[in-house]
Amino acid sequence: MALRIFNTMTGSVDELVPGGGKREHIKDYPPITIYSCGPTVYSHAHIGNFRTFVFNDFLRRYLRFRGYRVDHAMNITDVDDKTIAGAAGEGTSLKEYTERYAEIFLEDLESLNIEPVEHTPKATESIGAMVEIIDLLLKKGYAYEKEGSLYFHVGRFEGYGRLSRLDSREIKAGLRYDTDEYAKDDVRDFVLWKAPRDNEIYWDTAIGKGRPGWHIECSAMIRKIFKATIDIHTGGVDLIFPHHENEIAQSEAAYGEQFVRHWIHAEHLLVNGSKMSKSLGNFFTLRDLLAKGYSPRSIRYLLVSAHYRKQFNFTIEGIGQADQALERIDNLILRLRDIKRGGQPNVRVMKLIDSMFEDFTVAVDDDLNISRGMGIVFEFIHEMNSMIDEGLVSHEDAESVLRALKRIDAVLGFIFFPEDENKSTIDSEWIESMIAERIAARNNREYDRADSIRRALLEKGIILEDTREGTRWKTRN
Ligand SMILES: [Zn+2]
């Protein structure tokens, strides 16, 4: 059984082969190197952006669930026309302006329970790497200078358009080319390094004064972090052309080796059936939705549940349905936690857990079909509820089911386990101070007070053990 994912470059559902060579066991593979195009931090990211970021998160979680290790980078674009214009409009420095939006972005990721990735390079901190690749392109004849700016000569790079399947006629017709205001020889060419203009920020480097074009950032950061061909590059479908096409051209021209093995693109998100736009009134940032009282768990549920290669229609009714689905999971967890009945493990429960994992893996291995995978989890929830109704589930079984749900949640990231709440809200310092109070109470022969402290801790899931060495504590579960 192998994990197969659609590869935009080949146009087929291909087996994922990290490192480019097959190994006998998953654990023998090197960590999967992944790069995801990150945000431009000039305003709040909208819900369409978060579809892609939630997808990236689901992908890395699933790879780990399957036993792979991951090494994942996502850039933060903190210098471009929009960030410069935004900072100028406010009269603040570019750094101050972009740091604020970068922080907001990272907070939004946290709200959606998106795991931090291993590397989050900022463009302004990677100028050296960009200069290095542009310098190589100049030396190899793939770049030229015009009016102080440096451009990539698309005509020199064979294979331009392979990813997007656009032939040069279509690109030349001007329907879809990179719109920037700078002069260039060929409409297909794109800017690598922009000459300083007016009072805009610039860097004084070996290739001249200026600032980077957007496309070069990703190529440079990938080289800086991973040094060689990477396994997976992700992004929204809107980035296929020209951004990813240009990344390939720059990197392969400069380094003469394959840039990326597996290209994975997430489809668009629609809101109420239309493309999001401020004029249609269907433009939502994550914060707009949270301010209206919608829960980030439900939003994550909704964004995870849609297959990444299908356009997804985001609606308020959809959030309501997500709420209901989450309530079904929450209710099962509460029921499981209430089961006190002893007795031997029920073989049927063990079998259900095993087949849930097996079916889930088969479903998601097939081009990340999470919609089918979640269907399997809900079938399992239904069966477990029936078995609890029939009194067939012991305390030990319930514990096994809870552990299974936790393992699945390592992929889904939206199941709520009440004891986690206790762990995260109780700090050990507070527990230690309660223990000290209890000891003082006992020394003063205030046994009722000592007992009530013990009970208060127990209600929070903290169990005290009095030993000869002193009082220890542990969490229930
Ligand atoms: Zn990129």
Side-chain angles (χ1 to χ4, degrees):
M1 206 166 55
L3 171 55
R4 295 157 61 83
I5 308 174
F6 185 81
N7 184 349
T8 312
M9 182 58 90
T10 61
S12 55
V13 179
D14 298 342
E15 184 175 341
L16 183 73
V17 185
K22 284 206 188 188
R23 311 285 169 100
E24 200 169 332
H25 300 290
I26 284 178
K27 64 177 169 45
D28 299 334
Y29 281 105
I32 299 185
T33 47
I34 312 173
Y35 183 86
S36 303
C37 292
T40 301
V41 283
Y42 71 101
S43 69
H44 293 90
H46 59 66
I47 198 72
N49 302 134
F50 284 112
R51 176 185 194 184
T52 311
F53 297 127
V54 165
F55 168 71
N56 294 337
D57 184 59
F58 154 68
L59 174 65
R60 63 176 270 128
R61 283 165 174 263
Y62 186 67
L63 293 173
R64 280 215 308 259
F65 171 85
R66 290 290 274 109
Y68 296 101
R69 289 165 293 153
V70 299
D71 192 15
H72 191 175
M74 181 185 68
N75 68 306
I76 290 184
T77 297
D78 60 351
V79 56
D80 78 325
D81 294 343
K82 289 178 194 155
T83 47
I84 290 171
E90 255 186 25
T92 45
S93 74
L94 180 66
K95 191 174 162 67
E96 199 180 313
Y97 184 81
T98 55
E99 273 179 0
R100 186 195 329 144
Y101 282 109
E103 203 163 300
I104 287 171
F105 175 71
L106 295 176
E107 280 170 23
D108 284 354
L109 293 187
E110 206 179 324
S111 305
L112 289 174
N113 199 17
I114 293 174
E115 293 179 347
V117 296
E118 285 70 23
H119 318 266
T120 41
K122 285 184 173 169
T124 54
E125 291 165 5
S126 316
I127 300 292
M130 299 180 211
V131 169
E132 189 186 300
I133 181 170
I134 295 170
D135 194 40
L136 263 175
L137 292 171
L138 282 164
K139 284 181 179 140
K140 293 190 172 187
Y142 287 103
Y144 62 91
E145 187 260 316
K146 196 154 194 188
E147 293 169 24
S149 292
L150 299 171
Y151 294 89
F152 187 89
H153 195 329
V154 167
R156 291 261 166 87
F157 181 72
E158 219 177 292
Y160 190 82
R162 253 187 317 148
L163 182 73
S164 53
R165 291 178 176 68
L166 290 174
D167 68 24
S168 67
R169 265 172 321 162
E170 281 175 276
I171 300 168
K172 275 197 167 160
L175 286 171
R176 305 181 69 185
Y177 61 84
D178 200 4
T179 50
D180 59 63
E181 301 157 26
Y182 291 71
K184 49 191 175 182
D185 286 349
D186 181 330
V187 71
R188 297 178 301 165
D189 293 352
F190 56 89
V191 71
L192 298 164
W193 189 252
K194 297 184 172 188
R197 284 196 306 198
D198 309 325
N199 298 316
E200 282 177 10
I201 186 169
Y202 69 88
W203 284 263
D204 194 356
T205 73
I207 53 167
K209 287 181 185 169
R211 62 182 170 93
W214 172 44
H215 310 300
I216 197 70
E217 277 182 29
C218 294
S219 284
M221 290 180 192
I222 289 172
R223 191 70 189 184
K224 186 178 166 188
I225 294 165
F226 299 114
K227 314 283 191 280
T229 306
I230 59 167
D231 293 309
I232 296 175
H233 195 315
T234 74
V237 285
D238 52 321
L239 296 186
I240 296 174
F241 186 86
H243 183 53
H244 290 163
E245 202 71 76
N246 293 353
E247 280 188 38
I248 296 170
Q250 296 161 153
S251 293
E252 298 197 349
Y255 299 108
E257 63 179 18
Q258 187 183 10
F259 177 44
V260 170
R261 292 191 185 90
H262 220 114
W263 284 94
I264 305 177
H265 289 101
E267 258 294 346
H268 282 297
L269 175 136
L270 305 174
V271 175
N272 302 328
S274 320
K275 200 166 177 232
M276 248 189 307
S277 82
K278 286 192 171 144
S279 59
L280 282 176
N282 67 349
F283 186 96
F284 295 118
T285 67
L286 178 64
R287 286 171 189 231
D288 292 336
L289 292 166
L290 300 184
K292 288 187 167 119
Y294 299 112
S295 101
R297 267 177 90 204
S298 303
I299 295 166
R300 180 180 171 96
Y301 176 98
L302 207 53
L303 295 177
V304 168
S305 68
H307 189 263
Y308 77 102
R309 278 214 288 145
K310 294 202 175 100
Q311 281 203 347
F312 176 60
N313 188 23
F314 187 91
T315 61
I316 296 301
E317 296 79 66
I319 303 180
Q321 285 157 11
D323 284 340
Q324 286 171 15
L326 287 172
E327 206 178 314
R328 291 224 294 282
I329 306 177
D330 292 348
N331 285 341
L332 174 65
I333 287 171
L334 290 177
R335 291 187 84 187
L336 289 164
R337 286 162 54 89
D338 278 348
I339 295 172
K340 304 280 185 287
R341 191 172 71 75
Q344 293 297 308
N346 185 334
V347 183
R348 249 179 82 192
V349 173
M350 298 304 126
K351 277 190 176 156
L352 273 176
I353 291 174
D354 287 350
S355 61
M356 189 255 298
F357 278 122
E358 202 182 309
D359 296 347
F360 180 82
T361 307
V362 168
V364 185
D365 270 5
D366 179 13
D367 197 18
L368 304 171
N369 193 343
I370 189 60
S371 324
R372 173 87 194 100
M374 279 168 62
I376 286 153
V377 174
F378 276 99
E379 276 166 39
F380 174 77
I381 288 169
H382 177 77
E383 301 247 20
M384 284 315 308
N385 273 320
S386 307
M387 286 187 70
I388 297 172
D389 291 343
E390 290 169 52
L392 298 172
V393 179
S394 68
H395 176 73
E396 208 171 313
D397 294 325
E399 292 288 308
S400 304
V401 175
L402 285 167
R403 278 196 298 276
L405 289 172
K406 277 204 164 160
R407 226 180 110 197
I408 283 289
D409 193 52
V411 180
L412 304 176
F414 51 65
I415 302 181
F416 178 65
F417 297 91
E419 69 270 25
D420 294 347
E421 179 82 335
N422 287 338
K423 272 184 206 140
S424 63
T425 55
I426 289 183
D427 54 26
S428 48
E429 236 177 83
W430 177 78
I431 297 171
E432 294 296 346
S433 74
M434 293 295 275
I435 290 172
E437 255 196 82
R438 176 169 168 264
I439 292 168
R442 282 208 304 201
N443 289 343
N444 292 335
R445 296 171 186 267
E446 296 167 357
Y447 295 114
D448 285 353
R449 165 109 184 99
D451 257 339
S452 83
I453 291 171
R454 189 186 54 78
R455 271 200 312 275
L457 284 165
L458 191 63
E459 276 165 26
K460 303 259 183 198
I462 309 298
I463 297 166
L464 298 186
E465 285 177 314
D466 292 313
T467 70
R468 250 182 289 175
E469 287 77 36
T471 304
R472 290 206 198 107
W473 63 272
K474 61 177 186 185
T475 53
R476 197 165 48 188
N477 305 300

